[in-house]
Each structure stands twice: as structure tokens, then as C-alpha cells.
Amino acid sequence: MMHRRHFLAASVAAGATLAAPAVWGQARQTIKIGLAPQQATQSETRKVWEPIYKIVADRMGVGLDLTVANDWAGISVALASEQIDATQMGPWGYVLARAKGEAKIACTMLVNGEPTYRAVIVARPGLKIDNWPEGARGLSMQMLDVGSTTGWMVPTHWFRQRGLEPKTFFGRYAEGASAAAAQVAAANGQVDLATGWDIHRNTMIRNGTIKADSNTVVWESDPLPNEVVAVRRGFPEEMRIALRDALVGLTDEQKKLLPWPYTGFVPGEHKPYEVLEKMGRDLGVLKAS
């Protein structure tokens, strides 16, 4: 997943790059899809996803207006201000948007046939930890940005639930690395341990950025719910269902258009995402409802 697993900041400037507020009810209805630049560039993102959403729009009997924003913040603002009808969101971004009343889930995205993924901690080559987590005490740890679902929130919650504060448990602790930089730092032996998520690590291996034995997974989380396709708060319910059914109903041949590692969509419900809500409340980054 190219993303994506970061808190969505509210950035009016970023949101300003998107189209005017969505209008529903014109003679020829148009669905406005907004995407963050999930591929390397905005143009590549459009090239990858526009054919899929053109199929979806045709199935719904509507026109398509697809916009690729500069960043994830722009998409968050656009959905909140109803400038777009729907978007693909990371699981934590969806939880935050739902908490503010800005988003409803339509679908959960499948990755390699599964609606889940896992947070991981990897170790540098040759490092063996027999007793986890006690065997890692005093080692160096590189976590991702504090806005990362799997690179900060999930592992931090796991340690704190066991009475361990990462900042003092590890001998040298750092935050703020990108997912790719953290994987490479562990592979190069610059740090003993680094956080991340399984799909991203597997993508780096597939792309040849690291080898399968460049670092070793020493911990993984319980399954976490995948990305979602979410709609704005005012989007008509019958159209949310139509969007859901069009995505879920993609044929096997049409699914081949999806970028690796995505393999399809399943109807979405909020319940699997409650685990992230609880983590957010426990860590004080989501207000109790």
C-alpha cells in the first residue's frame, strides 16, 4: 500500500487544489472521486485508477470526475467539505473522519485476497531475539512518524499495554522515519529494530529495494482492517450502495486492472475498525465518544 497509513491533517491549502463542492441531482449525475497520489506521481495515480473508476461509474449509470490531490491532507479536507463524493482512505484516516462525522464506509479493499494486514517490527541481519519483547530491551528502535498507524500507533499501543514505554525500553529510540527508510536502516544495520507493515515490506521486496533476507520480522500484530472506500457524509445512501455494489461486482478480468497488491473489494462495515478506535482512545489521540 503506497500510502497511506498516516493521520490525515486538516490542510485548507491542500484542499484548495480540488474542485468545487460536489453537486448531486443534475440531469446527468456525476460521481466525484478524489484520490491521494498513491503511486509515485499524480499522473501515475490517475493512469492506474481511472480505468477502474470509469468501469464503476458506468455500472452506476453516472459520469466520472476523478481528481488526484497533492497529498493525503488534501483528500481529507475535500471529503470533509464535500468537494468530493468518495475516496480511498487508510484505516486510521477513515476512523478519524468517521469520528468527526465526515465519512461513511462503502467498501473494504482486498490485498492479496485478504481484508486485513499486519504491523511488523523487523530486525537487522544476524540479530536473534529469543525472548520477545524482553530480549529487545536496550536495543535501538526506529519508529515511523507519530501519525503512522502501523509504524507508531499499533506497536506503541502493544508495548504500553504490557507496561513498557518504548522511549525508555529501548536504548536508542527515534521517531519520524519514512516506511522505506526504516526498512533500509534495519537492512543496513544502522538500527537494531524498525517498525512498518507487512504489505509495504513485501512491496519493497517485490520491487527489489530490499531482499527477503535483508531484515527479519521479529514481531507482527494481530490482523488489522485494510483501507476503505469512504463517502462524504451527505452522499445519498442509495448511491453509497450503488458504489459499493459496483466495486464488489468487478469481474475477475476487470480486477486485473488493479495495481499490485490490490485484488478487489468487499462490502464494508465499521465493526472491524473499532480496534483502531480503541487504540486511539487508549493513546489519547482520539477523544472518547
Side-chain angles (χ1 to χ4, degrees), residues 125-198:
L127 177 60
K128 185 178 180 181
I129 301 174
D130 293 321
N131 180 24
W132 181 267
E134 189 57 36
R137 185 182 293 273
L139 298 179
S140 59
M141 164 63 82
Q142 176 65 65
M143 286 205 185
L144 308 189
D145 186 276
V146 294
S148 172
T149 309
T150 50
W152 183 84
M153 187 175 77
V154 173
T156 297
H157 184 268
W158 188 89
F159 280 108
R160 289 184 181 175
Q161 287 294 101
R162 287 153 181 81
L164 305 174
E165 173 53 53
K167 290 183 178 180
T168 56
F169 179 77
F170 295 105
R172 178 164 57 90
Y173 174 89
E175 298 169 346
S178 70
Q183 290 290 320
V184 171
N188 291 343
Q190 296 170 287
V191 295
D192 295 319
L193 301 165
T195 58
W197 67 94
D198 58 353

Side-chain angles (χ1 to χ4, degrees), residues 24-77:
W24 202 263
Q26 299 172 351
R28 171 59 172 168
Q29 293 177 337
T30 297
I31 186 168
K32 294 194 172 186
I33 303 292
L35 299 175
Q38 297 177 333
Q39 313 318 119
T41 64
Q42 289 172 286
S43 61
E44 183 65 18
T45 300
R46 176 179 292 278
K47 179 181 178 181
V48 166
W49 285 104
E50 193 165 40
I52 291 292
Y53 281 104
K54 181 65 168 63
I55 292 169
V56 168
D58 288 346
R59 283 195 169 202
M60 295 175 67
V62 299
L64 174 66
D65 180 355
L66 187 143
T67 301
V68 181
N70 295 322
D71 52 33
W72 289 90
I75 288 301
S76 178
V77 171

Side-chain angles (χ1 to χ4, degrees), residues 187-256:
N188 291 343
Q190 296 170 287
V191 295
D192 295 319
L193 301 165
T195 58
W197 67 94
D198 58 353
I199 296 168
H200 176 263
R201 179 174 181 270
N202 292 338
T203 299
M204 292 185 69
I205 292 171
R206 184 175 186 269
N207 293 342
T209 307
I210 60 174
K211 296 179 180 179
D213 59 356
S214 291
N215 54 41
T216 303
V217 176
V218 295
W219 172 85
E220 64 178 18
S221 70
D222 292 335
L224 301 165
N226 268 344
E227 288 175 276
V228 307
V229 175
V231 301
R232 60 182 172 88
R233 58 178 172 266
F235 197 56
E237 178 62 12
E238 66 273 16
M239 297 311 299
R240 185 190 70 84
I241 294 172
L243 174 62
R244 178 199 68 192
D245 291 348
L247 287 165
V248 172
L250 291 172
T251 67
D252 289 343
E253 193 64 26
Q254 291 166 343
K255 290 175 185 175
K256 292 179 181 178

Side-chain angles (χ1 to χ4, degrees), residues 97-120:
R98 182 182 185 275
K100 294 186 289 185
E102 298 167 359
K104 296 182 291 183
I105 189 171
C107 293
T108 292
M109 303 176 73
L110 295 177
V111 173
N112 296 324
E114 298 293 332
T116 60
Y117 74 111
R118 293 174 186 264
V120 298

